[in-house]
Amino acid sequence: MTLRKYQKEDSKIICGWVKDAKTLFQWSADRIGTFPLKGDELNVNYAERDPDFFIPLTALDDSGNVAGHLFILYPDQNDKSLVRFGFVIVSPDLRGKGNGRKMLELALDYAKTELGAKKVSLGVFENNPAARRCYDSLGFVPTGVRAVTILGEDWNCVDMEVELA
C-alpha cells in the first residue's frame, strides 16, 4: 500500500463505498452531505479548504487501485506540531484485513516525516467499534468525549491523540 495526493477522480470511488446513511455519518459526521452521495461531494468539500493547511490523501493497493482515503489538516494554523486526521475510510472489500491500520501507519509516518508533526488527533464515534479498535492498536488514547446530534440521535464522539516519537 502507498499514499498519494488525492485526485478529483478519487471522489466517485470513495463516495461509492458509502452504502447507507449510518456509514456516511460515521465517516464524515455532518460535514459532507446527505445520503445517498452523488460522487462529487469530496471535491466540493475540498474546494473550500485552504491547501496550505489541508492535505487529502488516497491510499493505493499494490495493484494501484484506490484502497482508502483520509485527510490531514492543521486545527491551529499557528501550530504545525499538531495535525488532525479526518474522513478516514477503507474500501469495504479491504476492511477487517489490516488495511486501515496499514494506511494509518503510512499517514502517521507522513505526518511525522513530511509535515514535522509531533502529535496527531482524530475523532471516532462510539458506534464504530472497528475503527476505534484500529486507532487503539496504533497508540491513540482518548482525550475527551463530546455528544453530536446525528440522524436525530446523540452520538458520542471520542477525541483521540497519539504522540509521534
Side-chain angles (χ1 to χ4, degrees), residues 72-74 79-85 107-121 162-165:
I72 302 173
L73 63 77
Y74 292 98
D79 180 3
K80 299 286 184 155
S81 69
L82 172 67
V83 296
R84 187 165 181 88
F85 289 177
L108 289 166
D109 183 64
Y110 181 91
K112 179 181 176 182
T113 60
E114 300 297 320
L115 305 178
K118 305 291 183 210
K119 187 184 297 185
V120 176
S121 69
V162 66
E163 299 275 344
L164 301 176

Side-chain angles (χ1 to χ4, degrees), residues 28-60:
S28 65
D30 59 356
R31 306 286 158 83
I32 198 163
T34 58
F35 185 80
L37 297 177
K38 295 177 179 79
D40 200 39
E41 287 84 355
L42 286 176
N43 294 333
V44 171
N45 185 286
Y46 293 176
E48 301 169 359
R49 307 282 189 141
D50 183 337
D52 291 333
F53 302 101
F54 180 81
I55 304 148
L57 299 170
T58 297
L60 302 178

Side-chain angles (χ1 to χ4, degrees), residues 63-76:
S63 299
N65 300 309
V66 175
H69 174 71
L70 74 147
F71 67 68
I72 302 173
L73 63 77
Y74 292 98
D76 177 350

Side-chain angles (χ1 to χ4, degrees), residues 2 14 40 46 49 72 98 102 113 128 131 134 153 157:
T2 59
I14 296 161
D40 200 39
Y46 293 176
R49 307 282 189 141
I72 302 173
K102 187 180 288 188
T113 60
N128 194 350
C134 181
E153 302 173 350
C157 182

Side-chain angles (χ1 to χ4, degrees), residues 4 17 19 21 23 33-34 37 40 60 76 81 83 92 94-95 111 118 123 126 128 138 151-152 161:
R4 67 152 163 78
W17 297 337
K19 301 298 186 193
T23 301
T34 58
L37 297 177
D40 200 39
L60 302 178
D76 177 350
S81 69
V83 296
L94 301 175
R95 292 179 191 157
K118 305 291 183 210
E126 285 180 346
N128 194 350
L138 289 162
L151 299 173
E161 290 183 350

